[in-house]
């Protein structure tokens, strides 16, 4: 998310957020309208409203869960084989170590009737590369030197060999150049037009987004005709909606709710280990005690990771040694990681100049399990750290923690997935100097992760990541909590298999 923490990016300028807040209802569609029929409409309960429907502006889970149904991506990852397969690009060829040529699918149309062309593909990437957009994906594509279109091909040139380019292009949503230039970014966010299997119908800010099947979709019209994504922040309400039939699928569900769902004969639990990592990030650049590496190390020693997994995740998570999951390329199993040692934590706080404890601010939003936040608050209290929790809506949270001023609190929780299966998509955007997520800077770390993304030599890349994770182990700008299991509650009339990238493509679902 990816996000959450994953996943988890660069939205949300103040101006955009103000626009979203001020727009209110965009149509008369009710956020709680009943399903037309059980087989024609899928009702999805999410824990938060999308931050944006412009794929260039954000890819937090709540946003891309919705907009990836409106837009096509350049490439696609087969959920069964994990291999990258054709999508809008029907084929590609690496002409040199730094030059790739993609052939664009013919006959694809945007939902406003305009044809999708190679120019639209080039524009979609150029738009992200434009610093004025403040796209969170800019760091993912920072190796791209140029993009050009000619006929039905797109040529991407990188400044140096880019081992993760294809992985990142799996997340590149294709947007309509002429439509955006005619109406502007703000209008596009509220009236998105893509070429995907579903068309945008309405967005009731803070309540729901409604989509309908695209009858002209190049891949065939989806079997589910309408989709309603509803914002339901309360965990218990999402479960109650499943039980009452108001929703067909709800996520996330908490591990403690798994048994509740399983006891209902009309419901099912769908789950899969993901590449998403739950983590804490610390503000090492702002005016906060976490500027001290000793304080950050103390926090890392003050958390009972195994206890959290057993008591709160109920076994639906796996321990990690770093801010990455073992299924991603570059995970270093040799890193020691941090384990619960409150005595050591207190010693470090004393060494940092806080023998009588200190107070830290923990920024969070409803997108993160508040039981976990409160449990960490309690555990840090045991080592002398008083934690003040500042809970805000997700858009405000993203705006705050992504601000280049680093004027947020001391600790934040994240759930991150790059959907790229590579360390580059996680530790580069989270910790490299100057990225929208990073409140940390270390030139040696920057050099290591930059080297890893500029060579296709697998052994060299692994060595670079080993160095990078050793630095993170010492500096602790963040600490991994666990590998996340995706947990969905659903009615038994829904047929769908979730994947490790947490793709939520409604076109792959069926309602009986």
């Amino acid at each position: 998310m990816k996000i959450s923490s994953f996943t988890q990016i660069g939205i949300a300028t103040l101006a955009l957020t103000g626009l979203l807040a001020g727009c209110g209802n965009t149509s008369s569609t009710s956020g709680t309208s009943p399903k037309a029929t059980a087989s024609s409409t899928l009702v999805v309960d999410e824990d938060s409203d999308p931050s944006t429907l412009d794929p260039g502006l954000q890819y937090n889970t709540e946003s891309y869960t919705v907009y990836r149904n409106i837009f096509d991506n350049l490439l696609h990852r087969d959920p069964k084989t994990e291999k990258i397969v054709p999508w809008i690009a029907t084929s590609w060829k690496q002409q040199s170590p730094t030059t790739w040529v993609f052939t664009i699918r013919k006959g694809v149309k945007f939902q406003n009737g305009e044809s999708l062309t190679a120019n639209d593909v080039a524009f979609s990437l150029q738009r992200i590369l434009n610093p004025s957009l403040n796209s969170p994906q800019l760091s993912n594509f920072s190796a791209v030197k140029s993009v050009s279109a000619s006929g039905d091909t797109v040529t991407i040139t990188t400044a140096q060999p880019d081992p993760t380019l294809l992985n990142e292009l799996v997340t590149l949503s294709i947007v309509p150049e002429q439509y955006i230039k005619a109406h502007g970014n703000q209008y596009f966010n509220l009236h998105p037009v893509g070429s995907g299997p579903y068309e945008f119908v309405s967005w009731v800010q803070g309540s729901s987004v409604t989509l309908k099947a695209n009858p002209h979709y190049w891949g065939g019209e989806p079997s589910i005709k309408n989709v309603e994504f509803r914002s339901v922040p309360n965990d218990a309400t999402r479960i109650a909606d499943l039980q009452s039939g108001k929703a067909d699928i709800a996520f996330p569900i908490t591990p403690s709710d798994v048994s509740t769902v399983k006891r209902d004969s009309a419901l099912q639990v769908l789950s899969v280990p993901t590449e998403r990592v739950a983590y804490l990030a610390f503000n090492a650049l702002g005016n906060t005690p976490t500027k001290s590496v000793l304080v950050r190390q103390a926090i890392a020693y003050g958390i009972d990771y195994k206890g959290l997994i057993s008591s709160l995740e109920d076994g639906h998570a796996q321990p990690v040694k770093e801010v990455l999951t073992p299924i991603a390329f570059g995970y270093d199993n040799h890193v020691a990681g941090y384990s619960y040692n409150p005595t050591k934590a207190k010693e470090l706080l004393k060494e940092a100049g806080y023998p009588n404890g200190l107070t830290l601010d923990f920024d969070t939003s409803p997108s993160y399990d508040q039981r976990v936040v409160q449990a960490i608050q309690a555990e840090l209290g045991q080592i002398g750290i008083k934690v003040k929790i500042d809970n805000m809506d997700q858009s405000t949270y993203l705006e705050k923690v992504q601000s280049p001023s680093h004027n947020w609190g001391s600790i934040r929780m994240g759930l991150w997935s790059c959907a790229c299966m590579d360390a580059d998509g996680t530790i580069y955007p989270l910790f490299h100097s100057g990225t929208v997520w990073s409140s940390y800077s270390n030139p040696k770390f920057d050099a290591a992760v930059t080297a890893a993304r500029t060579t296709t030599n697998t052994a060299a890349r692994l060595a670079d990541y080993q160095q990078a994770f050793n630095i993170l182990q010492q500096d602790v700008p963040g600490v991994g909590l666990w590998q996340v299991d995706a947990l969905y509650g659903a009615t038994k009339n829904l047929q769908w298999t979730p994947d490790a990238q947490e793709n939520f493509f409604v076109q792959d679902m069926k309602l009986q």
Side-chain angles (χ1 to χ4, degrees):
M1 225 167 148
K2 228 135 210 165
I3 129 210
S4 8
S5 326
F6 270 131
T7 155
Q8 333 125 4
I9 309 186
I11 174 183
T13 60
L14 283 169
L16 176 58
T17 302
L19 173 68
L20 298 178
C23 286
N25 293 348
T26 56
S27 80
S28 59
T29 303
S30 167
T32 56
S33 58
K35 292 177 286 186
T37 69
S39 60
S40 66
T41 299
L42 180 78
V43 178
V44 183
D45 276 8
E46 284 193 275
D47 59 352
S48 184
D49 200 39
S51 301
T52 176
L53 295 181
D54 181 340
L57 288 181
Q58 195 58 267
Y59 61 88
N60 62 308
T61 303
E62 296 78 13
S63 297
Y64 72 63
T65 293
V66 178
Y67 70 61
R68 281 182 177 173
N69 291 286
I70 302 172
F71 299 91
D72 278 312
N73 291 336
L74 183 62
L75 302 175
H76 189 75
R77 191 180 294 278
D78 187 310
K80 295 180 180 178
T81 65
E82 301 289 357
K83 292 183 177 179
I84 295 173
V85 298
W87 207 250
I88 287 300
T90 56
S91 63
W92 53 92
K93 181 178 181 181
Q94 188 174 16
Q95 290 189 335
S96 76
T98 58
T99 303
W100 295 76
V101 178
F102 298 83
T103 300
I104 305 306
R105 185 179 298 276
K106 296 179 180 178
V108 178
K109 289 186 177 296
F110 289 111
Q111 292 136 11
N112 62 357
E114 296 177 357
S115 294
L116 186 153
T117 69
N119 287 328
D120 295 301
V121 175
F123 171 77
S124 299
L125 184 51
Q126 290 165 345
R127 185 169 179 256
I128 290 172
L129 296 174
N130 185 343
S132 66
L133 186 66
N134 195 28
S135 173
Q137 298 183 62
L138 176 59
S139 62
N140 297 349
F141 294 109
S142 60
V144 175
K145 183 178 179 181
S146 65
V147 190
S148 62
S150 177
D152 62 351
T153 64
V154 170
T155 300
I156 298 177
T157 303
T158 57
Q160 56 278 319
D162 184 354
T164 65
L165 179 63
L166 296 182
N167 291 337
E168 302 296 356
L169 291 174
V170 170
T171 67
L172 177 66
S173 296
I174 310 305
V175 299
E177 178 181 12
Q178 296 306 318
Y179 180 82
I180 293 176
K181 287 184 173 178
H183 298 283
N185 290 336
Q186 294 178 348
Y187 183 90
F188 176 60
N189 176 53
L190 297 174
H191 305 84
V193 169
S195 62
Y198 285 90
E199 299 180 26
F200 172 78
V201 175
S202 65
W203 183 6
V204 183
Q205 300 279 318
S207 179
S208 66
V209 177
T210 302
L211 309 180
K212 66 177 182 181
N214 177 1
H216 308 297
Y217 186 54
W218 61 269
E221 184 177 359
S223 64
I224 296 175
K225 302 307 178 188
N226 304 286
V227 189
E228 184 179 14
F229 292 92
R230 308 191 309 179
S231 174
V232 184
N234 184 275
D235 296 340
T237 302
R238 291 196 296 277
I239 297 300
D241 285 350
L242 283 175
Q243 294 172 320
S244 66
K246 291 182 179 178
D248 298 292
I249 184 167
F251 66 93
I253 63 172
T254 66
S256 60
D257 286 329
V258 167
S259 58
T260 301
V261 174
K262 286 184 174 179
R263 282 196 299 269
D264 191 320
S265 61
L267 303 179
Q268 60 179 328
V269 174
L270 304 172
S271 67
V272 63
T274 72
E275 66 170 290
R276 185 175 301 278
V277 61
Y279 68 97
L280 297 181
F282 308 127
N283 189 349
L285 298 180
N287 184 23
T288 165
T290 48
K291 289 181 69 173
S292 165
V293 66
L294 296 174
V295 172
R296 302 197 298 269
Q297 290 174 344
I299 296 171
Y301 279 119
I303 297 171
D304 183 359
Y305 305 93
K306 291 182 179 178
L308 290 176
I309 290 174
S310 62
S311 63
L312 296 182
E313 297 305 301
D314 201 21
H316 297 289
Q318 295 76 42
V320 294
K321 293 183 175 181
E322 53 219 50
V323 186
L324 193 68
T325 66
I327 63 175
F329 177 87
Y331 185 85
D332 188 352
N333 201 38
H334 298 93
V335 170
Y338 281 87
S339 56
Y340 186 46
N341 189 337
T343 301
K344 178 70 172 177
K346 292 178 182 177
E347 292 174 354
L348 287 166
L349 287 180
K350 184 177 180 180
E351 185 180 351
Y354 299 101
N356 299 315
L358 71 161
T359 299
L360 299 177
D361 294 322
F362 194 143
D363 289 350
T364 184
S365 83
S367 294
Y368 309 106
D369 189 341
Q370 295 306 297
R371 301 171 312 142
V372 175
V373 173
Q374 292 164 10
I376 291 173
Q377 178 189 42
E379 290 182 348
L380 296 184
Q382 296 298 312
I383 62 171
I385 298 178
K386 180 181 179 181
V387 173
K388 294 168 58 180
I389 297 174
D390 186 6
N391 198 344
M392 61 202 85
D393 65 79
Q394 180 70 355
S395 292
T396 303
Y397 170 84
L398 293 172
E399 175 190 329
K400 188 175 182 182
V401 304
Q402 294 173 352
S403 169
S405 67
H406 307 289
N407 188 28
W408 55 282
S410 308
I411 309 171
R412 67 173 181 86
M413 183 175 176
L415 295 164
W416 187 274
S417 171
C418 64
C420 65
M421 308 288 283
D422 194 291
D424 180 73
T426 298
I427 61 173
Y428 188 95
L430 286 181
F431 302 124
H432 188 279
S433 302
T435 60
V436 295
W437 285 104
S438 178
S439 286
Y440 163 72
S441 181
N442 183 324
K444 291 183 178 178
F445 171 81
D446 291 350
V449 293
T450 299
R453 60 169 22 196
T454 55
T455 176
T456 56
N457 184 307
T458 299
R461 296 191 72 219
L462 288 173
D464 291 331
Y465 284 130
Q466 186 177 40
Q467 180 183 359
F469 281 116
N470 283 332
I471 293 172
L472 295 182
Q473 169 74 15
Q474 175 62 34
D475 286 357
V476 207
V479 61
L481 296 175
W482 52 74
Q483 179 185 13
V484 175
D485 282 3
L487 295 172
Y488 306 83
T491 57
K492 283 190 173 177
N493 65 342
L494 176 66
Q495 294 182 347
W496 179 57
T497 302
D499 60 39
Q501 285 75 47
E502 301 170 79
N503 291 309
F504 196 87
F505 296 127
V506 178
Q507 69 192 97
D508 294 337
M509 303 179 185
K510 291 184 179 179
L511 283 172
Q512 294 179 322

